[in-house]
Amino acid sequence: MHFTKPAWVMHNDSSKADASAKRLSIFSVHVHPDGSRIATGGLDAKIRIWSTKPILNPASEASGRPPKSLCTLTMHTGPVLVVRWAHNGRWLASGSDDEIVMIWDLDPNARGKVWGSDEINVEGWKPLKRLPGHDSDVTDIAWSPADRYLASVGLDSKVMIWDGYTLECVRKLEQHQGFVKGVCWDPVGEFLATQSDDKTVKIWRTTDWSLEAEVTKPFEDSPGSTFFRRLSWSPDGAHITASNATNNKGFVFIAAVITRNTWTSDISLVGHENTVEVAAYNPHIFLRNSSAPVSTSNICSVVALGADDRSVSVWQTKSARPLIVAKEVFDRQIMDLSWSWDGLTLYAASSDGTIAVFNFTAEELEGIAPHSVQEQYLSKFGFTLPPPPHGYSHMDAKHPTPPPSPSRTNIDIEVTKTVVHGEEVNQLVARRGKKKRVALVPNSAAIPSAGVPSSQSISTAQPHSKRAPLTQITTSSKAPPTSSFGFPMPAEQPYEPPHSWVKNGAPMDLDVPIDSFGGDGSISMKGKRKMSDDAMGGVARIGRTLGGDRKVEAPGPVKQLGKWGGAGAVQVQSHVSAQQLGSLLPGLPLLSYLKSEVEELDSFLEVRNSEEDHTTEVSLVCGKQVQWLDFLPSPVVAAKATPFFCAVASQDGSLNVYSHTGRRLLPPLSLGSPVSFIDGNKQALMVITSSGQLYCWNVKQQKACFAPTSLAPLLSSSPNHTILSATVSPNGSPIIHISNGVVYSYDSNLLSFIKVTERWWAENSDSWHGRARAAQSIRGVMTLTEYLLNDGDNKTSLSDAINNASASAANARPAWWSTAITLGHLETRMHAIKLLESSAEYRQVVLLYANKIADEGFRAKAEELIKELFGPVYWRPGREDNVPATICAIPRRDLLKDVLSIFARSKTLAKLGLDWQDTLKRANNEEL
C-alpha cells in the first residue's frame, strides 16, 4: 500500500495572500467514475475539481502536467457539505449549507480565469439546475443505480427524492424526527437507507416510497454530536454498514452491520476509540476463493471506516480483524471517504482541511472481482428499475439524455483515451452541432430550478447576488485547435502557477481572450464570475448601499488625537460620588483609526476620526468591498464587531449598534460618560463606562440583561486595584478580572457580584485548571479564565506562587486543608459555570466533584448532590417546586446517572449509589 497526503489539495481563503491564507475544512470528497478526477467541497463555499494523476504519480506532480487544479465552482453561498459524481460521470451533484442541491454539467465554454481571482479553470463545469426544497443544510446526497434517482437529506429532517432524468422532485419523506445526516442506495435499486440524529436507520421501498423497516438497537446510546452519519450499502446488496453506533451502553464505539431483509444488526466492527463518522464500501465484490464459482457463500466485501479519533480502518467481511488501521492520519476528525471505481484507491477528507490517499495493489486486496461479476450476481434479485420518463432515454450506460435547459444546446459527451507523452489519459470530449452558438453570461438567474418553469427561473435567483446584465455574444466561427475539455495538451494550454499570468501579463492560449470587460464596457463571454466570498459569511451584497461604490483605503499611520473641537466636542461631566469611586476609570485614548475584526468572517469594522475636518466615519468592510458607512457627530473611542452586530462608543457617552447591513438595531444609547471597556459575544454586548457603570444587553432581544450596576464594590477595597480585562459570555454574563487576582461576574437573580475564580484556588486547590495545562487543552469559558489567570498578575508569577505554596504546605498547613479548599473550589466553580451556561464544563465539574466526594467518603454531601439532581421525589399538596428539568441544558437525571455510577464504584458510597440507581430506574419507568 502507498500512502500520500497531497498538501496542494486544499480549500483556503483566496482573498488573502498565500502566506496568510488559512486552510479551511474539507467536508466531502468523491472520485469521478473514470478515476481521473476528484471533487472536494469545503468551508469556503466552493467545489474544487483536482486531477488524480499528480496525486498518484510523483513524476506527474513534479512536471505539472496534467494541471493539479482543474476547476473551481463558486455558485454556492454556504459551505459545501457533500459532492457526488453521477455513475455515468456526466453530472456532479453538490449539497450546501445554503439549502440548495446543485447539479453541474460539463461546459466547454467555461474554461479560463475565474472572475475576481488568480485561479484558472482548465476545464469548465456549469450549474445545470438548482434543486431547492430543503429548509436547512443539505448534509448528504446519493445517486441511485443507473442514476435513475437522486436522494438528498438535510438538517430539516427531510429526505428528498429527485428524478435522475428530469431533476424534478418525485417524493418528500418526512418521517425522521431529527437531523438526517446520511443516505445510501441499495445497489439493486429496491431500497433506500437514511440515518438520522433521531437514532434510527430507516429503510424505504423505492416502489412506493413507504417505510420498509426501522433499525434502532445499535444507536440507542449513540452520541448526537457528530457532523455526519454517513452509511454505505455493500456492493452485493447483503449489508448496510452504519456509522455512529455503540455497544455496552454507549461505552464502545462501533460501526453496525445491518443485514438485508431481516434488518437485524448482530455484527459490529469494533476498534475505533471515538465515534465512527463515515462508512464507505469498496464498489467491487470480492471472492473468498478465486477459483470457486460465484455464490453467496463465496462472496465478501471491503469497507472503510473514518472516525472522530482521526483514524481510518479498512475491513474485509471474511475476517474479524481489519486489513489496515491508519492512526492519527489527520489532526481532526474524518468527514468523508470515497473509493475509486477500480477499487484500489481510497480517498479520505478531514475537517483539518487535508485529504489522504491510500493506494492498494490487487494482491493486497485479495480476491477482487470485475464489475461484470457484480452485475451477474445482482441480477438474481430480479428487481428492475422503473423506466425513464417519456421522451428521455439512455443512448448507452455512459450517455444520459440531459434534461432541457433554456440556456444550453444539446451536447453529446463521450469518454476517450488519449496518449499524452506516452501516458494514457481519460478525456471528456464534447461534440457540438455546426450552428453558431448564442450564449449568455454565466448567471444563476439563468439556471432552471426544479419545479419552476423556465420562464420564471430568473425570479428564483438569489435576491442578494449582484448580477451583471445578460449579454449575447456569438462565438467565433473559427474552430478551436482541439475539442478536448479534459486534460489539455501541453501545446494547447501551457500550465504555470496562476500568479505568473498576473505578474507577467502573458496571454493564455484559450479560445477567446479572457478580459474582465471589453473595450466598450460590456462583459466578456469567457470571464466566469466568482461568487463573492462575503456571501458565505452572512454579509450579502444587496445592490446599492451607503458607500458601496467606494474603494477600501489604507488607514495610514495611527496617531493619538488631542482635543476635539467643533460640533462634535462634548464636555463629559463625572457623575461619580465619593461613595462610588475615588476616581474615574482610565478613559480610552482618542485615536485616528480603530478596527475590530469579525470573528470567523473576512470582515472588519473600521472607524476613522479625522482631525482635519472633525468628521467621524464608521464603515464595515468585507474583503475588498465597503458594505456600508455612517457618520457620527462625536469621535469614536471604542468599537466592537461580532458576526451578528457592530457597536461603536463615542466620546460624548453615546453608543450606536448596527446590523451587518448598516441598519441601527437599537436607538442611540446615552450612557452619561465615555466607555472604558467594550466587548461583544454573539448577541451579547457589554460596556463599562469611565464612571464605573456596567451595562449588558441582548442585542437580538433588544433588552438589558440586568439593570446598570456600579463597579464600586469591586474597586473600593484598595485605591490601587484596577480592571485588567472585561469580557462577556454568550448569555450576557460579564467576566471582570481585577488586579487583586479575582475574577467576578454579576448574577441578575441574586442582584450581586459573585466570584468566578481567584488566585486563592490556584495556590491551594488540587483541581485548579492552570496546573500543568497547555493552551491547546482549553475547552470552555471557565477553563480559559482559570488558565489565563495563571499569567494575569504582572507583579508575581502565579506559577511561582503555586510552587512556593506546595513546597511549604507540609509544615504550614493544618489538617484537611487541601480537601476543604479543593471541595470549596469545585463548588464555587459549579455555581460560576451555571451562571455562564457552559454545558460541557458543567458536566465535567460535577463529575470531578462527585469523584472527590466518593474518594473522601462524604455521605452527607453525596446525598445532598443526589437529591439536587434528582428533584422532588414526592408531590405535596400546596407546594410548587418548579424545578427545571435541565441544568445548563443538560437533563438533570442524565447527570445523576453519571454521578451514581461514580458512587456505585466507590468503596465507601457503593450502597448509596446502588440504592439510588434503583430509585432512578423506577422513576424513569413510571415516567415512560
Side-chain angles (χ1 to χ4, degrees), residues 90 105-106 108 395 398-402 408-415 428-433:
R90 168 66 177 275
D105 188 19
L106 185 74
M395 294 191 306
K398 295 292 182 182
H399 299 275
T401 303
R408 60 177 307 215
T409 58
N410 289 332
I411 304 174
D412 293 332
I413 299 294
E414 63 181 3
V415 179
L428 297 178
V429 180
R431 294 182 299 179
R432 296 191 157 277

Side-chain angles (χ1 to χ4, degrees), residues 642-770:
T642 76
F644 301 95
F645 65 84
C646 305
V648 291
S650 298
Q651 195 179 48
D652 63 355
S654 62
L655 182 71
N656 289 274
V657 183
Y658 303 88
S659 71
H660 278 248
T661 62
R663 189 174 63 89
R664 281 177 168 81
L665 295 175
L666 301 174
L669 305 176
S670 181
L671 307 180
S673 56
V675 166
S676 292
F677 294 91
I678 186 170
D679 190 49
N681 194 333
K682 295 186 178 179
Q683 300 286 1
L685 172 63
M686 179 210 71
V687 298
I688 299 175
T689 65
S690 60
S691 61
Q693 289 291 316
L694 169 67
Y695 300 83
C696 279
W697 299 274
N698 185 305
V699 174
K700 182 178 181 179
Q701 298 177 5
Q702 297 188 358
K703 69 176 185 179
C705 300
F706 48 81
T709 186
S710 172
L711 296 180
L714 306 185
L715 300 174
S716 59
S717 60
S718 171
N720 297 323
H721 287 169
T722 59
I723 298 176
L724 298 180
S725 66
T727 58
V728 65
S729 66
N731 71 338
S733 298
I735 303 171
I736 303 169
H737 183 191
I738 307 297
S739 58
N740 61 355
V742 183
V743 178
Y744 295 93
S745 186
Y746 188 81
D747 192 327
S748 58
N749 293 322
L750 302 176
L751 296 179
S752 173
F753 285 101
I754 70 166
K755 288 184 177 182
V756 173
T757 190
E758 56 183 317
R759 283 175 55 100
W760 165 258
W761 307 126
E763 297 172 3
N764 300 283
S765 172
D766 295 337
S767 298
W768 178 255
H769 266 126

Side-chain angles (χ1 to χ4, degrees), residues 564-575:
W564 187 276
V570 176
Q571 186 67 30
V572 180
Q573 300 294 332
S574 171
H575 303 286

Side-chain angles (χ1 to χ4, degrees), residues 816-895:
W816 296 102
W817 175 272
S818 177
T819 302
I821 292 180
T822 300
L823 287 173
H825 176 216
L826 291 174
E827 289 164 357
T828 302
R829 193 194 295 174
M830 287 168 61
H831 288 294
I833 292 175
K834 189 188 299 185
L835 175 64
L836 300 175
E837 296 182 1
S838 180
S839 301
E841 288 183 304
Y842 190 77
R843 179 186 291 274
Q844 179 191 36
V845 72
V846 168
L847 298 184
L848 282 173
Y849 184 63
N851 273 304
K852 187 66 177 176
I853 292 174
D855 291 343
E856 300 292 342
F858 295 151
R859 183 183 179 92
K861 285 181 178 286
E863 284 184 321
E864 194 170 88
L865 176 63
I866 290 172
K867 291 176 180 178
E868 179 184 343
L869 295 177
F870 191 94
V873 182
Y874 302 105
W875 177 79
R876 298 178 182 176
R879 188 183 75 175
E880 294 185 4
D881 296 296
N882 293 329
V883 177
T886 61
I887 305 178
C888 287
I890 305 173
R892 284 176 175 270
R893 293 186 177 178
D894 285 358
L895 271 177

Side-chain angles (χ1 to χ4, degrees), residues 123 201 282 319 369 382 404 441 542 567 622 658 676 727 773 844 850 888:
E123 66 181 23
V201 167
N282 189 300
S319 174
V441 172
I542 50 173
C622 186
Y658 303 88
S676 292
T727 58
R773 187 64 67 99
Q844 179 191 36
C888 287

Side-chain angles (χ1 to χ4, degrees), residues 315-397:
W315 304 69
Q316 198 162 25
T317 53
K318 69 180 182 180
S319 174
R321 294 178 177 272
L323 291 174
I324 67 160
V325 177
K327 292 187 176 181
E328 297 185 359
V329 176
F330 300 101
D331 295 330
R332 296 175 67 181
Q333 69 264 40
I334 287 88
M335 289 296 190
D336 204 5
L337 297 170
S338 178
W339 287 92
S340 61
W341 187 241
D342 64 8
L344 297 179
T345 308
L346 173 65
Y347 294 83
S350 168
S351 60
D352 67 6
T354 63
I355 71 164
V357 185
F358 304 85
N359 193 19
F360 300 87
T361 63
E363 291 75 20
E364 291 170 327
L365 297 180
E366 184 181 2
I368 189 168
H371 285 290
S372 57
V373 173
Q374 181 194 19
E375 295 172 2
Q376 176 187 352
Y377 181 79
L378 295 180
S379 64
K380 75 170 189 174
F381 289 91
F383 182 84
T384 56
L385 294 166
H390 180 71
Y392 293 82
S393 64
H394 287 288
M395 294 191 306
D396 57 53

Side-chain angles (χ1 to χ4, degrees), residues 488-602:
M489 295 289 290
E492 178 189 357
Q493 181 158 335
Y495 181 74
E496 299 176 11
H499 61 80
S500 63
W501 276 297
V502 179
K503 181 178 179 179
N504 301 326
M508 291 177 293
D509 186 14
L510 298 172
D511 298 341
V512 180
I514 299 176
D515 298 314
S516 298
F517 296 94
D520 58 353
S522 62
I523 297 179
S524 172
M525 165 63 196
K526 296 292 288 186
K528 184 174 180 181
R529 176 174 296 277
K530 177 187 177 185
M531 178 61 64
S532 61
D533 292 336
D534 52 340
M536 65 174 274
V539 187
R541 295 182 181 176
I542 50 173
R544 178 176 169 82
T545 61
L546 271 171
D549 56 345
R550 287 184 37 175
K551 293 183 179 180
V552 179
E553 301 176 357
V558 180
K559 58 183 179 179
Q560 185 170 344
L561 305 181
K563 277 195 171 183
W564 187 276
V570 176
Q571 186 67 30
V572 180
Q573 300 294 332
S574 171
H575 303 286
V576 184
S577 64
Q579 289 77 17
Q580 286 180 310
L581 291 175
S583 60
L584 297 176
L585 291 176
L588 295 174
L590 179 59
L591 303 177
S592 60
Y593 181 81
L594 299 172
K595 178 179 178 181
S596 176
E597 294 189 355
V598 182
E599 185 178 357
E600 298 179 358
L601 300 179
D602 185 21

